[in-house]
Amino acid sequence: MRHLRDKFAELEDLLLHHRRQLAQSTGVPFVRLVHRPEETLECERQQETLARTLRGKGVPVDEVSCRGVVFADYERAGRLEQLFALEAQHIQGLEQNIARHAAQILRARILAAKERLAGDGVIFLTDVAFIYPYLELGPILDGCTNEIRPPMALVFFYPAEEDTTGELRFLGQRVSGYYRARPLI
């Protein structure tokens, strides 16, 4: 994998000078910046710096965090302990219901950011590790395909490592989702 600094330099150039062309090769203006899990804190610092740079150059940025997507609604409703008790009983279909609900929440967060940006700007999708093991990002991004169009862009920061065969591993698991995104690895 390339150095994180180099990937962020390329990302900055893409977002400042080539946002309108991002969808040409993939069909969507999505960028996946892959970083090693141990680089997460540095990646977060670089995200903040990039967001300041973009805003300083007149490009609006909105951040959508994946933290709390899976369990926040249950916690707000006072049902988190009940959910954990049901999960411990291995109720058939419970994980799929949790995943479906979380996917709806995350997609709604992304589309709300799109509305706030009014068609032009960059959405940073952060804290992707927090959706594991309930969600895969691919189907959520597929659900945003016709919603986010240039000059808007969506960038997601993806903690993964390459194994000995060159395959990406997300939190130790082989990446199973298909992403139509420009990769920065």
Side-chain angles (χ1 to χ4, degrees):
M1 258 195 272
R2 293 185 299 153
H3 194 280
L4 192 60
R5 177 184 57 246
D6 297 334
K7 290 183 265 191
F8 269 92
E10 183 179 350
L11 180 60
E12 179 179 320
D13 181 60
L14 287 170
L15 297 176
L16 285 175
H17 305 111
H18 306 286
R19 263 184 306 130
R20 293 188 184 280
Q21 292 85 32
L22 275 177
Q24 285 180 344
S25 60
T26 61
V28 291
F30 300 164
V31 179
R32 175 176 59 162
L33 188 143
V34 178
H35 62 89
R36 291 177 185 88
E38 63 270 15
E39 296 176 320
T40 297
L41 290 176
E42 179 58 26
C43 186
E44 289 171 0
R45 284 191 284 273
Q46 297 250 356
Q47 288 169 37
E48 291 170 10
T49 301
L50 178 58
R52 278 193 306 274
T53 299
L54 292 172
R55 288 180 183 119
K57 304 256 182 178
V59 178
V61 177
D62 199 330
E63 180 181 334
V64 175
S65 173
C66 294
R67 285 181 192 257
V69 166
V70 176
F71 296 114
D73 273 6
Y74 298 104
E75 187 174 21
R76 268 191 297 280
R79 295 181 27 213
L80 192 56
E81 292 303 320
Q82 177 187 15
L83 179 69
F84 289 152
L86 289 172
E87 195 173 41
Q89 295 173 26
H90 303 290
I91 305 292
Q92 180 99 18
L94 182 63
E95 284 187 15
Q96 290 88 353
N97 286 334
I98 293 170
R100 189 172 26 257
H101 183 69
Q104 291 168 350
I105 291 169
L106 184 53
R107 184 174 184 276
R109 286 183 183 182
I110 293 169
L111 295 180
K114 175 199 131 193
E115 293 303 317
R116 287 189 298 271
L117 292 171
D120 188 10
V122 179
I123 300 169
F124 282 0
L125 184 60
T126 63
D127 304 313
V128 173
F130 284 87
I131 63 173
Y132 180 81
Y134 290 95
L135 293 178
E136 290 185 13
L137 205 46
I140 295 160
L141 295 176
D142 283 343
C144 297
T145 295
N146 293 319
E147 301 288 340
I148 299 173
R149 295 183 291 264
M152 185 169 288
L154 182 141
V155 179
F156 56 105
F157 301 92
Y158 197 82
E161 296 179 290
E162 289 180 308
D163 65 14
T164 56
T165 67
E167 293 283 327
L168 282 180
R169 293 199 172 267
F170 175 76
L171 299 173
Q173 302 295 314
R174 178 164 279 148
V175 176
S176 60
Y178 167 69
Y179 299 107
R180 286 180 12 195
R182 181 184 202 124
L184 297 178
I185 299 175

